[in-house]
Amino acid sequence: MPDIQAHVNDFVLKLKRRKIEGSQATARQTAELLRAVVSHQRLPYTNQALALLDAVRDVGEQLIAANPVELAVGNIVRRVLHIIREEDLTSVASAVDGLGLSTNSDDDDNFEHDDHPILSAAAVAATARSTLRAPSLQTLLEGLPESASAPRPSSSGGDSEGKSKSAERKKLKHDVIEAINELIQDIETCHEQISEQAVGLIHQNEVILTLGRSKTVKEFLFAANEKKRSFRVFIAEGAPRYQGHVLAKELVAKGLQTTVITDSAVFAMISRVNMVIVGAHAIMANGGVIAPVGINMVALAAQRHAVPFVVVAGTHKLCPLYPHNPEVLLNDLQCPSDLLDFGEFSDCMDFSTSGGSPLLHVVNPAFDFIPSKLVSLFVTDTGGHSPSYMYRLIADYYSTDDFVVERRIKS
């Protein structure tokens, strides 16, 4: 796949240089690239699903290594791997149904169990799940009694069998691509799906508190405002980049009553607040949240004053890993110049003093970790969920075999 590899290298370079802004854009472009990988992958006559899994896994490992902090990349890689497994099982079930195999062993009028064992659909599907490939037609027929076997093909049967296998390969690839298209559509429309739930959460004359600037939160508040709900928004400015100032301008442009406060004033103002609504960088398997720095302070203040703490995020931010997993980087250090002007503090950073090390150090973390016990509700594009329900969503979207994405060691 020389052409695809060029696209992969280009996308890897963008991830390394942080050229893609936002988890939604990163997730969408990752899914589009993996769709191209699946489309251009040549499939063998056997082990079609395994070939697709290996191709996606190889590319996925490169993407994850390019920017480990952006967990949305790994989430989409694992989602696509899960899609391939699910479509493979679906094709196996369809093949079994087409052969008319029995789903139980009650119909024993025509066959003796000792001489003519009946092949069940469940057994075939279980075998396919363990081998990651659909059994061939010959493999299925070998398990049936001779009376149920199809007649031997004529001399021209080889051509028809080859066409059948070619059609099976094309169908698997087509089904996987269609499922990836649905995933891309879900990513693109996640803000709209989340915003539809705003009216049920934000009520008349309430005071909402948020921190920084989240596009998901912005669209959520816009949706409630469009339904003629009158409410006020407190925005903690989100130092040191002060993205809250940008959000305040955007809300005021839509006619929302907005008050900007300093981050340190959150505890002083939280008693006036009815609900805290924030975005997230990632939602972990235990219900914990990786969010912009400062939000953990807001969550603690909300818990202290019994204020509901709501996290709005698309399901592409749901990560099947735990915070303690070695693959997870919980934080990222931003440029110190966001905090201090190097020209103004250059004399404090003289490397000639104190044994060659500067006297002044600047640490500018990008994220906070909020434990699940501080979260009241998750609002996603699939609805509202409690932190304890995250395990169920993970089971729906991911396979346990894909939690660690790595190349298989081939003997």
Side-chain angles (χ1 to χ4, degrees):
M1 299 185 294
D3 295 336
I4 288 299
Q5 189 58 45
H7 289 294
V8 172
N9 295 338
D10 181 62
F11 191 63
V12 166
L13 192 60
K14 289 182 180 179
L15 290 175
K16 288 182 177 180
R17 295 180 176 179
R18 312 293 175 91
K19 294 294 185 180
I20 306 174
E21 291 289 338
S23 297
Q24 184 188 27
T26 304
R28 177 178 54 80
Q29 294 186 36
T30 301
E32 291 172 348
L33 178 63
L34 295 180
R35 178 181 61 186
V37 170
V38 171
S39 178
H40 287 78
Q41 177 66 28
R42 298 185 62 181
L43 299 183
Y45 281 97
T46 59
N47 297 338
Q48 294 95 352
L50 186 60
L52 288 179
L53 288 172
D54 287 341
V56 171
R57 190 181 291 110
D58 288 345
V59 173
E61 185 178 10
Q62 299 177 53
L63 302 183
I64 294 173
N67 188 0
V69 176
E70 187 54 80
L71 297 178
V73 174
N75 296 343
I76 298 303
V77 171
R78 297 179 182 93
R79 288 280 295 269
V80 172
L81 292 173
H82 178 69
I83 285 172
I84 295 172
R85 296 178 188 275
E86 289 297 304
E87 294 300 332
D88 182 43
L89 290 178
T90 302
S91 65
V92 172
S94 300
V96 170
D97 291 340
L99 290 174
L101 299 180
S102 173
T103 57
N104 55 63
S105 58
D106 294 337
D107 300 332
D108 55 353
D109 296 336
N110 299 327
F111 306 101
E112 295 293 336
H113 289 290
D114 295 338
D115 300 331
H116 304 287
I118 298 177
L119 187 63
S120 69
V124 176
T127 303
R129 183 180 294 108
S130 62
T131 58
L132 295 178
R133 59 185 175 89
S136 64
L137 188 61
Q138 181 65 27
T139 303
L140 292 171
L141 293 178
E142 284 177 353
L144 293 175
E146 294 181 1
S147 59
S149 299
R152 292 184 177 274
S154 61
S155 58
S156 62
D159 294 338
S160 61
E161 182 180 356
K163 292 179 180 179
S164 176
K165 290 183 177 180
S166 177
E168 290 178 3
R169 296 200 307 274
K170 291 180 180 179
K171 185 179 186 305
L172 175 62
K173 182 183 291 189
H174 175 270
D175 292 344
V176 170
I177 291 175
E178 285 298 313
I180 297 177
N181 288 335
E182 294 179 4
L183 173 61
I184 294 173
Q185 181 69 19
D186 291 341
I187 296 172
E188 291 177 342
T189 61
C190 69
H191 289 151
E192 290 80 358
Q193 299 295 327
I194 294 173
S195 298
E196 290 178 356
Q197 306 168 63
V199 179
L201 287 176
I202 299 178
H203 303 99
Q204 192 75 7
N205 299 324
E206 284 192 333
V207 178
I208 308 298
L209 172 66
T210 188
L211 182 144
R213 179 176 181 261
S214 166
K215 184 178 179 181
T216 311
V217 172
K218 180 184 71 174
E219 298 296 336
F220 195 79
L221 297 176
F222 283 174
N225 184 54
E226 290 173 358
K227 298 298 182 180
K228 307 303 180 183
R229 291 290 169 86
S230 177
F231 59 95
R232 174 179 288 274
V233 181
F234 286 175
I235 302 178
E237 57 187 358
R241 301 184 69 185
Y242 302 105
Q243 291 295 301
H245 297 175
V246 180
L247 178 61
K249 293 178 181 178
E250 293 171 336
L251 296 184
V252 169
K254 290 288 186 177
L256 277 164
Q257 301 181 50
T258 306
T259 302
V260 178
I261 63 174
T262 61
D263 297 342
S264 57
V266 167
F267 261 96
M269 304 296 292
I270 194 69
S271 60
R272 307 182 188 182
V273 173
N274 299 106
M275 183 184 302
V276 175
I277 301 178
V278 298
H281 175 70
I283 302 173
M284 308 309 293
N286 63 350
V289 179
I290 299 177
V293 66
I295 290 186
N296 185 57
M297 172 189 64
V298 178
L300 291 172
Q303 182 192 47
R304 177 71 176 177
H305 291 266
V307 175
F309 185 86
V310 178
V311 177
V312 292
T315 51
H316 60 274
K317 294 186 178 182
L318 177 61
C319 181
L321 303 178
Y322 289 87
H324 60 264
N325 287 129
E327 300 87 0
V328 177
L329 292 181
L330 284 179
N331 223 319
D332 187 27
L333 296 181
Q334 302 293 306
C335 182
S337 63
D338 291 340
L339 294 175
L340 298 179
D341 184 356
F342 285 122
E344 184 179 353
F345 288 87
S346 59
D347 55 335
C348 301
M349 300 181 181
D350 187 0
F351 284 84
S352 64
T353 62
S354 185
S357 62
L359 298 177
L360 177 65
H361 298 270
V362 180
V363 180
N364 185 15
F367 302 115
D368 265 346
F369 179 75
I370 299 91
S372 60
K373 64 181 181 181
L374 299 181
V375 180
S376 305
L377 180 69
F378 287 106
V379 178
T380 71
D381 41 310
T382 62
H385 309 289
S386 66
S388 61
Y389 191 76
M390 289 300 104
Y391 81 95
R392 180 58 191 167
L393 292 180
I394 290 174
D396 290 340
Y397 294 138
Y398 300 100
S399 298
T400 55
D401 294 335
D402 303 322
F403 285 0
V404 178
V405 179
E406 60 182 5
R407 291 186 181 92
R408 292 188 171 186
I409 300 176
K410 297 181 181 179
S411 57

